[in-house]
Amino acid sequence: MSHKKLFALIVSTLFCLQAFAQKNTPVRTSYNFNPGWKLYVGDTTAAESIDFNDQNWKSITLPHAWNEDEAFKKSIEELSTSIAWYRKHFKLPQNSQNQKIFLEFEGIRQAGEFYLNGKFIGRHENGVMAFGFDISNLIDPEKENVIAVKIDNAWNYKEKATNSGYQWNDRNFNANYGGISKNVKLHITGKVYQTLPLYTTLQTTGNYIYAKDFNIDQKSATIVSQSEVKNESSEASTITYEVVLKDAEGKTVKIFAAAPQSVAPGETKILKAESTVSGLHFWSWGYGYLYTVTSRLKVNGNVVDELNTQTGFRKAEFKNGMVYLNDRVLMMKGYAQRSSNEWPAIGLSVPAWLSDYSNQLMVESNANLVRWMHITPWKQDIESCDRVGLIQAMPAGDSEKDVTGTRWDQRKTVMRDAIIYNRNNPSILFYECGNESISAEHMKEMKAIRDTYDPYGNRAIGSREMLDIPEAEYGGEMLYINKSATKPLWSMEYSRDETLRKYWDEFSPPYHKNGAGPQYKGADASDYNRNMDSHAIEDVIRWNEYYQERPGTGTRVSSGGVNIIFSDSNTHHRGEENYRRSGEVDAMRIPKDGFFAHKVMWDGWVDAKKEGIYIIGHWNYQKGIKKNIYVVSAGDKVELILNNKSLGFGQKSDGFLFTFNQIAYSPGILKAVSYTSTGKKLAETQLKTSGAPAALKLTAMKNPAGFKADGADVALVQVEVVDQNGNRCPTALNTINFELSGPAEWRGGLAQGPDNYILSKVLPVEGGVNRVLIRSLTQAGQITLNAKADGLKSASIALATIPVQVAGGLSKSLPADGLKSNLSKGETPKGASFTAQRKSIKIISAEAGANNNKAQLSYDDNELSDWVNDGKMNTAWIKYTLEKASTVSQVALKLNGFRSKTYPLRISVDGKEVFKGESKTSLGYFTATCKPTKGKTVTIQLLGSGKEKENAVVGVEMNGKKLDDGVSRTEMKQKGGLSIIEAEVYEQP
């Protein structure tokens, strides 16, 4: 072959390859827009101008709250507010002419005015939701561009158009980390493209992916993908909508497409394709299995747009008072967590891997639900819950009550935007419309929004309380037990006591006596100044009441509840510190004893697995100390063994708690062993006495994809005081001096003391351990952290950051790149998740000594209605007729005054006494165990005056709000007052 022919062949081949590449390379590209910002705190003139000199401004990487230094240093209401300016210089990649250019902000706080190259492009004000701008016509694709943002995070900020504040911009619960505190992306697409799910600013809804026609046993479902498509070209396009489904390993599972459709110039149209897919792995609790759905637009066989969406598929139903996930009943167990989910000296603006670390800890405690509070969390936390397998209840925006007018319109707007933005995230099972009940009419409006934008997502919409509003698909009060035979009712916050992790008990340094601390606004605050023994015990006591009413305990059941909160929070507090310490882990995510108590009680979909066991506390005391030892176990009985000598079996209470009274300390090994009732060993655990403090130990937790030199990634480094054998010394309180060198920024940790030691390089351990945060800079290199303490061997750890490529202010490295799903719990188990404990006997009618016409209200499955007599002893009875003669074994009652009063009662079956005794105060229900007797009628009679619980202080909350104690009735103040909210009759299964 001649040289000329060879050259021609090479040119021709290269041309064909180039044409092939152009034909098959999708034009959509999404960039990380976080790098290379400048920050100035305060207002200044002309900062929006393209030629403004920002050279002396602080260089930062987003996300970055400008007041991050104050997180946990200041109480929430003292967090600084100000105007702050953010600016960024950037340049688009080559060949960006005639493309569509969009900016996507995951959120700011509170409001921002946005300028591109000196021109105003928009405003966003609600401080919660994502939003974006189409900057295609204002950007210069060949020159440097400048975006400038003026942020105002005032507590009293008012919406410009309405002069109305936002209900959720609240000093109690919404920590005010100001500025651009969430991620930003830049998207480049062609003129025919799938829109972004940013409704308020772009009026577009993006894509919507869901599954239907589930066959869980056969692992199949119909997968549906639909996208809102815009044609902004000058010609009509005949578009084929093609969908590629890839599994977690990147293997193509299915390719399917819809028939071609014509989209005219300027037209917006929904394109949809669907196909039955078999062999699916369904997303589940602790099994964050995610697929990649690639939706393509093809014109004449060429791909003109390609969008990748990570999502999962699961079936959810809400019926019979229970939640069903993949056809299996799941009792809700978890945490009500502030949506800020914050960390000391950083706030909420943490890297994606740290969100995974924190959220996966919830799953490790066997939580299956996080109820974010008051406002929608940012996308990073929502996507994190997808990966770790944690169900979410997603709010929109609210405070503590229903509102009307503009503020209600603001709440509807946020709910609409949040549903559109997050409807492809499988971990969301609940949409929450309010942290307090809303009207039936408002519930209908919210439900209509859900039905418009997410009609097929298998998600319930409801609100706190909403017990008797049919339109609400779930509900539940806080602090109290509700049951239902229809929609699931779960407690929105069931335990909010506080303790520092530092406080083991009154026998360990610093010797904190339970409850010791200042009053809160003049009221006793001992519940908010507990030690860890008391806090963990209270967790057990509270949860057990819900567990006793779990699925399997009758027709009406509790669907569980969430403990407020998971991690200590820079929000509304009642204890001695200036931040909330209700967490089961502290602010650095170091577990408290309550974390492990929950891990035992929550291990199971409904019924607790028998193998869980945990000894509360430690085993390092002074000679002569005697104290109660508490073991949390799901077994039937627990034996305590000290240095191979049995100390006997513990006294069981509250379902899971075993108490061993006044155990004398002796160094060595304290072991707890659990058994079945027949003596079969189930599990064991132990505490070991550590030696004297000898050394420091450092352990790093970091991004599994590598510690990135992007100016935003962090490493979490744990410091421990250990004995000569490397065992942690649980009572150590040593002060550690840190030295940091290399390309990194110190963010530090938290401890009790001046300013909570925020940003200090001198930090004490608490209970022998603490943690610090180190943030990368934008240059890669070797980082060294040294730790020293008087009298202890020092420790050192080396960390290396890896470079991140940034060109023109843009990076293709997205924050969550490289993060893997948690699959630790495996796929949804087969079979029932509970064993029936008792069987309801249906009540068909009732007669009463007074108000006979309202007797049916005591068994109407409505906890906001009740029957009450006239306050006289001779009328204090009610008689129920059962559907059929049955052997009655239990009667459960929700009595008015359930928290504050006890009542002497007699229960008879067909006139035969089966129970005589005093009711007990509770979070809702009292169950009388009866002598099993067959009959068709059950009579409940008051034998004497109800008694107020000793030292009852349940009438008023610490902020003055009246607590729930049933339905307010004047008759109940009389000697013969009897009122029943719900009565249930049971037999053994």
Side-chain angles (χ1 to χ4, degrees):
M1 183 181 293
S2 69
H3 289 296
K4 286 186 178 181
K5 287 183 179 180
L6 179 60
F7 178 76
L9 180 60
I10 292 173
V11 170
S12 176
T13 301
L14 290 174
F15 179 80
C16 292
L17 289 172
Q18 183 181 20
F20 179 82
Q22 290 174 345
K23 180 178 179 180
N24 288 277
T25 301
V27 298
R28 177 186 293 255
T29 310
S30 294
Y31 293 96
N32 185 340
F33 204 63
N34 290 334
W37 287 77
K38 293 278 193 172
L39 170 65
Y40 176 81
V41 179
D43 204 358
T44 186
T45 59
E48 73 276 13
S49 300
I50 192 170
D51 56 356
F52 180 86
N53 185 358
D54 57 21
Q55 195 168 15
N56 293 326
W57 287 17
K58 181 179 180 180
S59 296
I60 60 167
T61 300
L62 298 182
H64 184 99
W66 63 263
N67 59 350
E68 64 172 4
D69 290 0
E70 298 176 356
F72 286 89
K73 180 178 180 179
K74 292 186 176 182
S75 183
I76 180 174
E77 73 278 2
E78 297 174 355
L79 291 172
S80 295
T81 60
S82 176
I83 300 296
W85 280 90
Y86 290 73
R87 282 171 58 91
K88 177 182 173 73
H89 301 251
F90 68 101
K91 188 174 181 181
L92 297 183
Q94 292 182 348
N95 302 318
S96 298
Q97 297 88 346
N98 297 317
Q99 303 283 77
K100 295 293 297 182
I101 314 294
F102 298 96
L103 283 175
E104 176 186 351
F105 289 81
E106 290 185 2
I108 60 173
R109 178 67 182 272
Q110 172 69 38
E113 296 176 352
F114 295 79
Y115 301 85
L116 182 65
N117 296 332
K119 295 182 180 179
F120 180 72
I121 59 172
R123 179 184 291 116
H124 197 262
E125 301 174 278
N126 67 38
V128 177
M129 271 313 300
F131 58 94
F133 303 104
D134 182 346
I135 59 173
S136 308
N137 296 329
L138 293 175
I139 201 162
D140 190 327
E142 297 181 350
K143 296 182 181 179
E144 183 179 82
N145 296 270
V146 177
I147 184 166
V149 186
K150 180 183 179 181
I151 304 283
D152 183 351
N153 73 318
W155 286 112
N156 60 350
Y157 181 87
K158 289 183 169 56
E159 188 178 27
K160 301 298 184 187
T162 64
N163 200 36
S164 171
Y166 290 91
Q167 189 186 10
W168 51 85
N169 193 8
D170 188 284
R171 287 178 170 88
N172 279 322
F173 57 78
N174 192 359
N176 196 342
Y177 304 126
I180 308 178
S181 54
K182 302 175 184 178
N183 296 310
V184 188
K185 296 175 185 174
L186 181 140
H187 306 281
I188 301 177
T189 76
K191 292 293 182 72
V192 178
Y193 63 97
Q194 297 166 83
T195 66
L196 296 176
L198 303 172
Y199 192 84
T200 291
T201 47
L202 296 179
Q203 299 292 295
T204 55
T205 58
N207 70 334
Y208 181 33
I209 301 166
Y210 58 90
K212 62 180 183 178
D213 304 330
F214 290 92
N215 188 322
I216 300 299
D217 289 339
Q218 297 299 317
K219 295 188 173 184
S220 72
T222 298
I223 307 301
V224 183
S225 177
Q226 68 180 48
S227 293
E228 183 184 63
V229 175
K230 266 193 173 185
N231 181 359
E232 294 197 39
S233 71
S234 58
E235 298 179 353
S237 293
T238 299
I239 301 174
T240 298
Y241 185 70
E242 182 181 84
V243 178
V244 180
L245 181 67
K246 293 182 180 179
D247 66 15
E249 304 301 319
K251 179 183 176 182
T252 297
V253 174
K254 191 104 180 213
I255 301 176
F256 52 97
Q261 292 190 51
S262 178
V263 182
E267 185 181 9
T268 300
K269 182 176 283 189
I270 300 293
L271 301 184
K272 180 172 75 171
E274 62 181 68
S275 177
T276 299
V277 181
S278 58
L280 287 170
H281 300 279
F282 293 114
W283 188 95
S284 189
W285 167 39
Y287 187 72
Y289 198 96
L290 300 177
Y291 289 85
T292 299
V293 178
T294 302
S295 49
R296 291 173 177 159
L297 305 183
K298 285 185 172 182
V299 177
N300 297 325
N302 297 328
V303 176
V304 299
D305 189 32
E306 181 174 283
L307 175 63
N308 292 316
T309 305
Q310 269 206 326
T311 189
F313 307 111
R314 82 290 176 278
K315 181 182 179 183
E317 295 178 284
F318 311 89
K319 61 185 182 181
N320 307 324
M322 298 179 285
V323 177
Y324 294 75
L325 178 62
N326 301 329
D327 290 340
R328 198 170 199 252
V329 175
L330 181 65
M331 189 179 188
M332 296 294 95
K333 314 165 186 179
Y335 304 100
Q337 177 77 337
R338 300 302 192 195
S339 296
S340 45
N341 205 12
E342 70 269 41
W343 291 71
I346 290 182
L348 67 86
S349 306
V350 299
W353 81 266
L354 200 56
S355 293
D356 280 14
Y357 176 80
S358 177
N359 295 331
Q360 188 164 325
L361 275 175
M362 295 193 217
V363 178
E364 288 179 12
S365 75
N366 284 319
N368 56 45
L369 172 66
V370 57
R371 176 197 172 228
W372 302 110
M373 299 187 69
H374 296 286
I375 63 171
T376 308
W378 65 321
K379 191 69 168 182
Q380 180 168 294
D381 264 324
I382 288 176
E383 292 177 337
S384 171
C385 290
D386 288 346
R387 288 190 294 270
V388 305
L390 182 62
I391 295 167
Q392 302 180 74
M394 186 201 81
D398 62 48
S399 184
E400 291 289 344
K401 61 182 180 180
D402 204 356
V403 289
T404 58
T406 297
R407 290 193 297 166
W408 177 247
D409 291 338
Q410 291 170 338
R411 282 173 62 165
K412 287 197 298 181
T413 295
V414 172
M415 179 59 83
R416 178 200 64 204
D417 287 4
I419 287 176
I420 291 170
Y421 195 59
N422 299 314
R423 60 188 176 177
N424 292 330
N425 294 98
S427 51
I428 299 173
L429 258 63
F430 302 96
Y431 291 138
E432 181 178 298
C433 303
N435 194 56
E436 189 75 63
S437 61
I438 61 175
S439 69
E441 189 57 40
H442 280 174
M443 190 67 247
K444 290 177 184 177
E445 292 179 35
M446 286 295 199
K447 191 174 181 180
I449 292 171
R450 190 277 311 269
D451 291 346
T452 299
Y453 296 104
D454 186 21
Y456 307 112
N458 287 196
R459 295 182 174 99
I461 190 163
S463 184
R464 203 180 91 191
E465 301 181 0
M466 308 303 286
L467 306 181
D468 62 343
I469 305 296
E471 289 76 15
E473 296 168 345
Y474 75 96
E477 297 179 279
M478 66 177 193
L479 303 178
Y480 319 114
I481 295 171
N482 306 119
K483 299 201 295 183
S484 173
T486 55
K487 64 188 172 190
L489 299 179
W490 47 270
S491 179
M492 303 295 175
E493 348 174 338
Y494 73 77
S495 182
R496 56 188 180 188
D497 300 2
E498 296 186 31
T499 186
L500 274 179
R501 184 181 59 79
K502 180 178 183 178
Y503 295 153
W504 283 110
D505 54 38
E506 60 187 283
F507 305 105
S508 309
Y511 308 105
H512 180 79
K513 186 175 181 180
N514 187 57
Q519 292 186 326
Y520 176 77
K521 295 184 178 181
D524 174 65
S526 55
D527 287 348
Y528 304 99
N529 290 292
R530 293 186 181 274
N531 57 37
M532 281 212 292
D533 272 12
S534 169
H535 192 234
I537 291 166
E538 187 64 22
D539 281 337
V540 174
I541 293 170
R542 297 283 184 93
W543 174 252
N544 183 59
E545 287 207 43
Y546 292 88
Y547 188 72
Q548 294 305 311
E549 311 300 335
R550 67 192 182 274
T553 60
T555 301
R556 300 185 70 247
V557 295
S558 163
S559 204
V562 290
N563 186 338
I564 179 170
I565 50 185
F566 176 64
S567 60
D568 290 353
S569 170
N570 191 186
T571 57
H572 182 211
H573 54 90
R574 298 175 175 90
E576 63 183 322
E577 305 303 316
N578 70 344
Y579 62 93
R580 189 166 193 156
R581 302 155 307 136
S582 303
E584 305 309 312
V585 299
D586 71 9
M588 302 303 292
R589 277 51 174 186
I590 303 173
K592 304 176 188 178
D593 273 338
F595 175 95
F596 299 105
H598 284 105
K599 189 172 184 177
V600 171
M601 298 185 294
W602 289 351
D603 189 8
W605 279 57
V606 175
D607 291 347
K609 295 180 180 179
K610 292 289 188 178
E611 291 76 17
I613 190 168
Y614 180 73
I615 304 173
I616 295 175
H618 62 90
W619 198 238
N620 270 69
Y621 291 96
Q622 297 297 316
K623 290 183 179 179
I625 291 294
K626 290 185 177 181
K627 74 178 295 277
N628 289 353
I629 299 299
Y630 305 97
V631 178
V632 184
S633 172
D636 298 314
K637 54 185 181 180
V638 173
E639 182 183 17
L640 197 64
I641 301 168
L642 177 58
N643 296 328
N644 295 318
K645 180 181 179 181
S646 177
L647 302 180
F649 290 86
Q651 180 181 351
K652 186 175 183 178
S653 64
D654 301 293
F656 299 92
L657 189 66
F658 294 83
T659 303
F660 298 83
N661 291 313
Q662 294 300 293
I663 300 300
Y665 171 72
S666 178
I669 296 176
L670 184 69
K671 183 185 297 185
V673 183
S674 63
Y675 304 89
T676 66
S677 58
T678 58
K680 180 182 177 182
K681 181 178 176 180
L682 291 168
E684 69 175 61
T685 188
Q686 68 178 35
L687 295 174
K688 183 179 180 180
T689 305
S690 63
L696 299 179
K697 177 183 177 182
L698 295 176
T699 307
M701 290 154 272
K702 55 188 178 180
N703 192 333
F707 190 6
K708 299 178 182 178
D710 59 5
D713 202 0
V714 300
L716 180 63
V717 181
Q718 179 166 287
V719 58
E720 297 173 88
V721 174
V722 298
D723 65 14
Q724 62 180 2
N725 295 317
N727 301 308
R728 184 188 298 176
C729 301
T731 60
L733 298 169
N734 303 66
T735 298
I736 315 299
N737 292 276
F738 292 95
E739 296 176 355
L740 179 66
S741 61
E745 177 189 4
W746 178 260
R747 301 311 298 170
L750 174 140
Q752 187 183 41
D755 291 332
N756 298 320
Y757 286 91
I758 297 300
L759 293 174
S760 175
K761 289 185 179 177
V762 177
L763 183 74
V765 295
E766 296 180 334
V769 62
N770 214 325
R771 291 173 179 173
V772 297
L773 290 163
I774 298 168
R775 187 155 62 195
S776 68
L777 300 181
T778 53
Q779 64 266 33
Q782 192 81 4
I783 300 164
T784 302
L785 179 65
N786 296 313
K788 299 178 181 179
D790 292 344
L792 302 178
K793 183 179 178 181
S794 60
S796 181
I797 194 169
L799 305 167
T801 53
I802 58 176
V804 175
Q805 296 299 317
V806 179
L810 308 178
S811 172
K812 289 187 177 181
S813 175
L814 298 173
D817 283 356
L819 299 183
K820 303 295 185 181
S821 286
N822 167 43
L823 305 176
S824 61
K825 289 188 177 294
E827 302 197 45
T828 302
K830 294 185 181 298
S833 57
F834 60 85
T835 300
Q837 305 297 309
R838 59 191 184 186
K839 182 181 177 182
S840 295
I841 308 170
K842 186 177 181 180
I843 299 171
I844 59 173
S845 65
E847 58 179 303
N851 296 321
N852 191 63
N853 62 327
K854 294 186 177 180
Q856 79 280 2
L857 298 180
S858 67
Y859 62 96
D860 62 350
D861 196 22
N862 180 357
E863 297 194 358
L864 296 183
S865 68
D866 70 320
W867 164 79
V868 63
N869 72 335
D870 55 9
K872 300 175 182 178
M873 281 298 302
N874 65 339
T875 65
W877 61 270
I878 188 166
K879 183 177 182 180
Y880 298 104
T881 299
L882 307 179
E883 184 177 41
K884 61 180 180 179
S886 306
T887 301
V888 176
S889 61
Q890 289 184 333
V891 175
L893 300 171
K894 190 166 196 178
L895 298 164
N896 255 321
F898 57 82
R899 299 184 79 235
S900 60
K901 296 181 75 173
T902 61
Y903 299 87
L905 300 172
R906 174 188 289 128
I907 300 176
S908 304
V909 174
D910 284 355
K912 299 175 184 177
E913 182 178 286
V914 297
F915 172 87
K916 184 179 180 181
E918 198 90 5
S919 70
K920 296 180 180 179
T921 57
S922 69
L923 299 179
Y925 283 83
F926 159 69
T927 296
T929 299
C930 305
K931 179 181 178 181
T933 304
K934 189 170 184 178
K936 198 172 181 181
T937 63
V938 175
T939 303
I940 300 166
Q941 180 182 1
L942 181 68
L943 298 180
S945 179
K947 299 176 184 178
E948 291 287 341
K949 179 181 177 182
E950 187 177 355
N951 300 321
V953 288
V954 298
V956 178
E957 235 285 41
M958 298 181 73
N959 61 7
K961 180 181 177 181
K962 187 178 184 301
L963 286 171
D964 190 10
D965 198 25
V967 183
S968 180
R969 297 292 185 200
T970 57
E971 294 88 349
M972 297 302 295
K973 298 177 182 179
Q974 300 179 47
K975 181 180 180 180
L978 177 64
S979 176
I980 299 176
I981 299 169
E982 287 292 330
E984 301 160 359
V985 183
Y986 302 101
E987 62 182 341
Q988 293 301 316

